[in-house]
Amino acid sequence: MDDTVLPSKLLTTLSQAVKIVNGHDFIHVYSHYDADGITAASIIAKTLLRAGKEFKITLFTSLNDENMNTIRSAPSECIMVTDLGASYIEQLDALKCDIIVLDHHTVEKQAKRICYANPHLYGIDGMTSGCGATMAFLFAISMSQGNWDLVQVAFAGIAGDRQHINGLKGLNIYLYEGGLERGYIKVADGSMIPPGQLISELFLSTDPYIAGVSGNADGVAALLDSAGIGREKYNKDLTEEERRKLSSLIALKLMGQGTSMQTMFELTRTRYYLKDWNMDAETLGSLLNGCGRLGLGGIGVSAGMGDTKCLSKAAELENTSKTQIMESVLSLQKNGLNQMKHIQWFDSSELGFTGMVCGIAMQFMGNPSKPTIGINRSGGTAKISSRATFGLLDKGVDLSRALKEACAAVGGSGGGHRIASGGSCPSERSDEFLANLDEIIGEQLRS
C-alpha cells in the first residue's frame, strides 16, 4: 500500500492484523447490523474465504454489556470486531485471545494489548473520512492486493454511513482513487429525483422526504402530472426538460416544508457507480441496510459477498423495509416531535426503525436548530438514537460526548460520532436521561 498517503502507524497496525489472522485457521467476526457494519463484515468474510480461513459472522445492533458477555462466552482463539468496539476497548483488552478491532467511532481508550485500528488514532476524522467498511477494506488489501475489487463493497459502506455527502475525505479518497484507476468505480452527477420507476420510488422516498408526496399516492400522481410526466416513466427515461421541471418542483416543495439549504445541497451529491454490481453505492448500501434492519443480516452479508440469490432476496427485503420506514415516518409526521429547550425527541416504541426515522426527522421534519433524539422504550432497556447537522456541530454540539454523559448519569451507556450517536439506559429513567441531555446540549451551545 502507499505509505505516502496512508499513515505509517496505520500500515503497521494493519500488518500486525494480517500476521495475527495468518496465524489462525478460524476467526469469529463481530460487526454492526447497519449498511456500514454489513459491508465491513462482507469484506472481511470474502477476504478470509479467499485466504482459505474458516469464519463465523455475528451481527449486533450495538456493542453493550450484554453483547460483550456474548463475546466472552463464545470461545475463539481469534476475534475480529468491525464497525464496533471503540467504547469497549478496555473490556476487549482484558480477554485472553487474539483480537483485532477495525472501528471508526470516537476513541475513548487506547488499546494496551489488542490490535486496534481507528482513523481517530491517526489524526483522521472517523465521522467523515473513514468508516468501518473503509478500515475493513484496508485490512483486505493488506492481506492481498487481489482484494481491490472489494473497494466496490466498501463504497456501499461509505455511502451507507453518508461519508460521501459533502465530498470524499481522508482515507476514503485513497479508496476512490484506487477504485477509479482500476475501473471499479465511476462517478455520476447527483439528483433529487430517485432512481427507478418514479411513481413507486417517489412514494417510498425518504431521502428526500417530501411532505404530501412521500407515502401519498395522490400526492405522487399530482407531482408527476404537474411536471407533465407519465405515470409509468422511469428516471432513466426522462428528457432533460422533464428532469429539470421535476427537480424544480421537488425543490420548491422541500423549501416550503422548511428544509435547510445545506440539506438541499446534500441531495444533489455525487453518486458512485459500481462496475461489477451494475448499481450505485447508495443503492447497494440500501439493499444491505434493509437486511440488517429486518433482522436478516446474514442475507445481507452473503449478498455483500456477491451471492446472487441473496442479492435478489435483499431487493425484496429492501422494499419491505422502505414500506415500514415510511409508515413510521408518516406516523411521526402526524404526531410531531416533542420540543424541549435545546433538543427535540420522539418515542419510537411503536414505530421502530429509530435511527433511520431520527435521521429523516432531523433533515426534513424537525427544527434544524435542535438535535433530534429517538427513544424506543418497548423493553426494560431504552434504546436511543440521536442526529444533528453539520451546522449544529459548528455551534459546538457533540452528540458522542453528550450521549455518553447523559446515559451514564442514569445507569446506561452511549457514544458514537459527534453528528450521530446511540445509547441505552433503563426505560424507567429515560425521562431523566432526556432532561440531562437537554442540559448538556445547552451547555455545549453556550460554550
Side-chain angles (χ1 to χ4, degrees):
M1 287 194 290
D2 189 347
D3 59 5
T4 64
V5 177
L6 303 177
S8 59
K9 288 184 179 180
L10 170 58
L11 294 177
T12 299
T13 303
L14 292 172
S15 295
Q16 180 189 356
V18 170
K19 184 177 180 180
I20 291 170
V21 167
N22 282 335
H24 295 276
D25 296 322
F26 173 81
I27 294 90
H28 196 151
V29 182
Y30 296 92
S31 195
H32 197 212
Y33 80 131
D34 67 356
D36 187 25
I38 289 177
T39 51
S42 298
I43 291 166
I44 296 298
K46 195 75 171 182
T47 300
L48 296 175
L49 186 67
R50 288 173 174 175
K53 304 292 183 181
E54 294 184 355
F55 58 88
K56 179 180 179 179
I57 308 287
T58 300
L59 300 180
F60 291 142
T61 56
S62 66
L63 187 54
N64 51 30
D65 291 344
E66 180 182 353
N67 289 331
M68 191 64 221
N69 285 333
T70 298
I71 294 176
R72 290 190 187 97
S73 62
S76 179
E77 293 182 359
C78 183
I79 289 172
M80 293 188 75
V81 183
T82 60
D83 195 33
L84 291 169
S87 58
Y88 275 80
I89 293 300
E90 281 187 319
Q91 292 90 329
L92 291 167
D93 245 340
L95 300 182
K96 303 299 182 183
C97 58
D98 285 335
I99 297 179
I100 300 162
V101 176
L102 304 174
D103 197 10
H104 69 119
H105 295 93
T106 302
V107 169
E108 297 186 10
K109 298 288 183 179
Q110 298 281 343
K112 295 179 180 178
R113 185 188 68 82
I114 64 174
C115 182
Y116 180 27
N118 185 318
H120 292 285
L121 295 172
Y122 319 107
I124 299 169
D125 188 354
M127 183 184 76
T128 61
S129 307
C131 62
T134 305
M135 303 307 290
F137 173 75
L138 292 175
F139 167 80
I141 59 172
S142 297
M143 283 283 288
S144 170
Q145 287 291 304
N147 288 324
W148 258 102
D149 61 317
L150 300 180
V151 72
Q152 299 170 92
V153 186
F155 256 82
I158 291 168
D161 246 26
R162 301 177 69 81
Q163 292 200 350
H164 66 313
I165 293 293
N166 292 307
L168 297 172
K169 300 178 181 69
L171 299 174
N172 294 333
I173 293 177
Y174 176 77
L175 272 64
Y176 166 71
E177 291 177 345
L180 191 68
E181 178 185 347
R182 291 165 175 80
Y184 291 123
I185 295 172
K186 295 181 179 178
V187 294
D189 292 336
S191 172
M192 292 187 188
I193 305 171
Q197 189 174 24
L198 297 174
I199 198 162
S200 58
E201 293 302 321
L202 284 168
F203 180 84
L204 292 174
S205 176
T206 55
D207 188 23
Y209 173 77
I210 313 166
V213 174
S214 300
N216 186 326
D218 291 337
V220 172
L223 178 65
L224 293 175
D225 288 346
S226 297
I229 296 172
R231 305 284 178 86
E232 302 306 315
K233 271 210 168 182
Y234 285 71
N235 181 314
K236 62 183 177 62
D237 300 325
L238 295 177
T239 66
E240 283 305 312
E241 176 62 19
E242 289 172 334
R243 193 176 301 279
R244 181 196 62 78
K245 192 163 187 179
L246 183 55
S247 293
S248 297
L249 288 170
I250 291 173
L252 286 171
K253 285 186 173 291
L254 292 173
M255 291 172 66
Q257 70 191 57
T259 303
S260 70
M261 291 306 297
Q262 176 64 32
T263 294
M264 300 276 282
F265 171 77
E266 291 173 0
L267 290 171
T268 59
R269 58 191 174 267
T270 299
R271 263 55 173 189
Y272 299 90
Y273 186 81
L274 312 177
K275 177 180 74 73
D276 294 337
W277 296 81
N278 196 30
M279 65 182 76
D280 69 22
E282 292 189 25
T283 301
L284 179 57
S286 181
L287 288 175
L288 304 185
N289 189 55
C291 295
R293 300 294 175 181
L294 292 174
L296 296 168
I299 293 174
V301 173
S302 295
M305 293 176 69
D307 185 283
T308 53
K309 289 184 179 179
C310 286
L311 196 60
S312 296
K313 182 63 177 178
E316 296 175 20
L317 294 173
E318 184 197 28
N319 190 66
T320 301
S321 176
K322 281 185 172 181
T323 300
Q324 293 181 2
I325 290 169
M326 180 57 68
E327 291 171 354
S328 296
V329 171
L330 291 174
S331 178
L332 180 57
Q333 178 80 66
K334 179 180 177 181
N335 296 322
L337 289 132
N338 303 293
Q339 299 294 328
M340 298 180 71
K341 189 171 182 180
H342 303 292
I343 63 173
Q344 54 195 347
W345 69 278
F346 63 96
D347 191 317
S348 66
S349 301
E350 296 181 4
L351 301 178
F353 299 95
T354 310
M356 298 288 292
V357 176
C358 194
I360 295 163
M362 183 73 260
Q363 285 193 293
F364 301 108
M365 296 166 59
N367 182 341
S369 67
K370 298 179 180 180
T372 304
I373 316 299
I375 306 183
N376 186 329
R377 300 190 265 205
S378 57
T381 299
K383 297 179 180 178
I384 305 157
S385 291
S386 65
R387 298 291 185 272
T389 63
F390 286 102
L392 284 168
L393 301 193
D394 291 340
K395 294 178 180 178
V397 169
D398 183 340
L399 290 177
S400 177
R401 184 168 61 84
L403 259 74
K404 181 182 179 182
E405 292 179 14
C407 288
V410 293
S413 62
H417 299 300
R418 289 181 297 138
I419 201 168
S421 289
S424 61
C425 72
S427 290
E428 67 270 15
R429 301 190 69 182
S430 56
D431 288 338
E432 187 182 348
F433 156 80
L434 287 168
N436 291 339
L437 184 63
D438 190 54
E439 183 177 343
I440 292 167
I441 295 296
E443 291 173 358
Q444 290 182 346
L445 291 169
R446 284 190 294 271
S447 64

